[in-house]
Amino acid sequence: MSYAPSSFRPLPFEQGPPRFDVGLAPIEPHAWLMPDDQAHWIGPKNQLMDAEPDAVFASITGSMPGQIEAAALVASACGQSFDPGEPPLFAASRLVSDDLVLMEMRDGAWTNTALCLCSPTFFSAHEAIGKSLFGLHRPVPGGDPGLGGRISRVFSLLRDELVLERHNWTVQWRDARYTPDGGPLRAAAAAAGLEEGREALHVRVERQTIRRLPETGAVLFTIRIRLYRLADLLGETALAQAFQQAWYEAGPEVRAYKKWESLERHVAALLGDYARNP
């Protein structure tokens, strides 16, 4: 089997605009969670978990066996142990920068039964809990039933020890990781002057993985967030050209779903600076 490389700086805009497809590729199992290149987030993440546990964690009845298996797998990958006094998925999430989402078959559909979500890209743990893949992907263009159905088939056909990875991207205002609601960021961008964009515009990359849990048959979905200041990326000619092409090639359905309206003038100004001073 050939494995996709797991780069420490994956920039998916190099492959074009955001795409609403499955896009999963196998990676080496040892590259699943370690090394954790975003480990600097673990400390602030734990502080957030201590301060707002009910906001970042949710579970439904019957998820405990899957949580226990998922937590054991994460702890083993990290070479650590988790606190047995906390919900297992919550405790395991303390060990890695990644958010952890447990998916299990319920009433014939893959359903979110537990999750710890500390770096959400504009949705909350309580919006996701109990939803099927179809419900989770309903807001995505073509997501329900199309994309949801394709991902469901992937989940159902997963083999033990196989780890699949994909990357997604967007642009956001400022560098916050805990963003359950994108409204305040969009409002800040709408009110900001163009001179603020150089510091505030960031590319947000989601690194997502899935793997099957052999004992329970559940699927563990992980999300690792990486943030890059857009102005820094535009300082590299090849990246600047790739981003500019991907940004302007993104269609209206992509722009609407990503809610880029408040960012358009800021990105255009920054790209204009790049064009004048490549």
Side-chain angles (χ1 to χ4, degrees):
M1 176 181 292
S2 61
Y3 291 94
S6 185
S7 168
F8 282 173
R9 197 178 75 165
L11 296 170
F13 63 75
E14 292 183 281
Q15 282 72 56
R19 296 191 300 271
F20 305 119
D21 56 17
V22 177
L24 289 158
I27 62 169
E28 293 278 6
H30 67 76
W32 176 41
L33 296 176
M34 293 291 129
D36 190 342
D37 64 300
Q38 299 297 300
H40 60 277
W41 166 239
I42 295 176
K45 178 185 180 183
N46 274 265
Q47 293 173 6
L48 173 63
M49 294 169 68
D50 290 337
E52 300 190 57
D54 293 335
V56 302
F57 177 76
S59 64
I60 64 174
T61 302
S63 67
M64 192 57 69
Q67 286 195 55
I68 292 170
E69 187 180 8
L73 190 63
V74 171
S76 176
C78 300
Q80 301 184 57
S81 58
F82 61 90
D83 184 349
E86 295 182 322
L89 199 73
F90 183 85
S93 190
R94 291 188 180 278
L95 307 179
V96 289
S97 66
D98 307 69
D99 285 341
L100 304 178
V101 180
L102 186 68
M103 302 294 295
E104 299 184 82
M105 187 62 74
R106 294 285 189 272
D107 298 323
W110 286 101
T111 300
N112 174 213
T113 60
L115 77 167
C116 188
L117 203 60
C118 297
S119 301
T121 303
F122 317 135
F123 69 105
S124 71
H126 291 278
E127 289 174 313
I129 192 66
K131 286 187 177 179
S132 71
L133 280 173
F134 299 98
L136 292 169
H137 289 90
R138 187 163 291 130
V140 179
D144 181 16
L147 180 59
R150 293 193 295 275
I151 297 175
S152 180
R153 287 191 290 274
V154 172
F155 277 29
S156 296
L157 294 172
L158 272 178
R159 303 188 310 275
D160 297 353
E161 302 303 323
L162 179 64
V163 182
L164 299 179
E165 177 190 69
R166 73 182 296 274
H167 293 91
N168 192 15
W169 69 278
T170 191
V171 178
Q172 74 172 50
W173 193 253
R174 304 197 182 116
D175 62 352
R177 288 174 182 258
Y178 181 57
T179 53
D181 180 5
L185 297 182
R186 294 190 292 272
L194 291 180
E195 70 281 358
E196 298 179 59
R198 178 168 290 276
E199 290 300 321
L201 287 169
H202 285 74
V203 174
R204 183 184 183 107
V205 176
E206 282 190 355
R207 184 253 191 178
Q208 305 170 353
T209 75
I210 60 171
R211 69 181 303 172
R212 183 179 183 274
L213 305 180
E215 293 179 13
T216 59
V219 170
L220 183 59
F221 177 62
T222 74
I223 309 167
R224 178 175 297 179
I225 296 297
R226 298 178 174 109
L227 288 162
Y228 307 96
R229 196 170 71 113
L230 179 57
D232 294 337
L233 298 179
L234 295 182
E236 299 183 35
T237 301
L239 293 181
Q241 292 172 344
F243 178 83
Q244 180 170 289
Q245 183 173 352
W247 179 260
Y248 287 123
E249 285 184 355
E253 75 287 353
V254 173
R255 312 186 96 77
Y257 172 69
K258 297 288 186 179
K259 295 183 171 66
W260 283 348
E261 182 179 6
S262 64
L263 302 177
E264 297 277 8
R265 63 190 177 96
H266 294 290
V267 175
L270 202 55
L271 289 175
D273 287 346
Y274 157 74
R276 287 188 291 272
N277 302 286

